[in-house]
Amino acid sequence: MDDTPAIEAASPTQVLPAAPAAVSGTDERRDYRPGYEIVAERILEYIAEERLAPGDRLPTEIDLAQTLSTSRAVVREAVKILSALGRVRAHKGRGLFVADDEGMLVTSRWGGFFRPVDIDHVLMLFEFRRVQEMSASSLAATRATPSELRTIEVAMEQCRHGVVHGQVDVFNQADEDFHAAVSAASHNTFLVSAVRDARRLQRQSSAIGIHDTLGENAGAAVEEHEAIYRAIRDGRPDEAAAATAAHLDRTLEDYRREIQRRLFG
């Protein structure tokens, strides 16, 4: 799509969803939902409800702040997050636009955008990941080349290094590399794409609502990675799939606990 926006400005017919009280800091659950998180989610809801396409213009930061009864500073922080996630693009002197990001998995069948802090969406995403990654690891156990096995092993060891030395960035990157390497070893282009896009959506949950930290079960993740790697290396597809399922199920439980902790303390 070209750069010509389909929407020139926020018109009276383009009404953003009403903001919850937490945007102005009066909600009792403000410790769970910082203002910028709520604003980021409401912007995503607006994009979905208005069925805006990549390249369409969003209201200005000032208009968003007025509509959501919050400050421009909070809106600016929300926009920074959404920009980093590839959901919006800020063009100096021109305004805010819906980003052209094929990884958002936006189709009419979804009926809108993935909402990173919606637990139902997170659950569905993990169900999707479970199906795709079990298949990918099973195929990798029968198709991985020596070079691909080495790539998986290196990523696994980098995850371990990140945990041992408390380096969250190292762990996160190695975790991405591990899952990407397993899917690549499946030699199935569609699985590679599905795994990549699903994990991109999961990263949005980590950026909005569930913060990136080395959780108490990061060490367990390393051991689970090793179980997956060994099953693939030894050519055991059923064990590779089972190890992948166990890994994703445990990761989902971590997400559940973190959400409950922030909700109820």
Side-chain angles (χ1 to χ4, degrees), residues 120-226:
D120 289 334
H121 283 215
V122 173
L123 292 174
M124 287 187 287
L125 177 60
F126 269 91
E127 287 180 351
F128 181 74
R129 281 193 61 197
R130 199 176 193 273
V131 171
Q132 307 306 321
E133 295 198 40
M134 285 179 67
S135 295
S137 60
S138 177
L139 290 173
T142 63
R143 299 177 178 178
T145 66
S147 175
E148 289 167 339
L149 286 172
R150 178 57 180 162
T151 300
I152 297 171
E153 182 182 22
V154 168
M156 175 190 72
E157 291 302 334
Q158 278 295 99
C159 279
R160 190 185 307 279
H161 178 88
V163 170
V164 170
H165 296 281
Q167 298 173 326
V168 63
D169 290 340
V170 171
F171 175 85
N172 286 340
Q173 184 58 59
D175 185 52
E176 288 295 320
D177 293 344
F178 178 86
H179 289 273
V182 170
S183 66
S186 74
H187 294 196
N188 185 305
T189 300
F190 296 100
L191 283 175
V192 171
S193 178
V195 170
R196 181 190 65 236
D197 289 343
R199 287 188 60 79
R200 184 178 300 187
L201 293 179
Q202 184 178 318
R203 286 198 300 275
Q204 295 175 13
S205 288
S206 295
I208 303 177
I210 304 175
H211 299 297
D212 270 342
T213 58
L214 277 177
E216 61 183 17
N217 289 322
V222 172
E223 299 308 315
E224 291 157 3
H225 283 175
E226 183 168 1

Side-chain angles (χ1 to χ4, degrees), residues 46-80:
Y46 171 73
I47 292 172
E49 291 169 5
E50 293 296 321
R51 297 186 178 277
L52 300 184
D56 286 350
R57 188 193 296 270
L58 289 163
T60 65
E61 289 183 356
I62 293 176
D63 289 336
L64 288 171
Q66 291 176 343
T67 301
L68 296 174
S69 301
T70 187
S71 69
R72 186 177 180 182
V74 172
V75 171
R76 187 176 296 115
E77 290 303 309
V79 168
K80 286 180 181 178

Side-chain angles (χ1 to χ4, degrees), residues 23 45 55 93 113 128 219 246:
V23 173
E45 290 178 352
F113 285 70
F128 181 74

Side-chain angles (χ1 to χ4, degrees), residues 243-258:
T244 299
H247 173 52
L248 292 176
D249 289 346
R250 197 270 313 154
T251 303
L252 175 57
E253 285 307 307
D254 285 351
Y255 270 71
R256 286 180 188 271
R257 282 193 295 271
E258 176 62 13

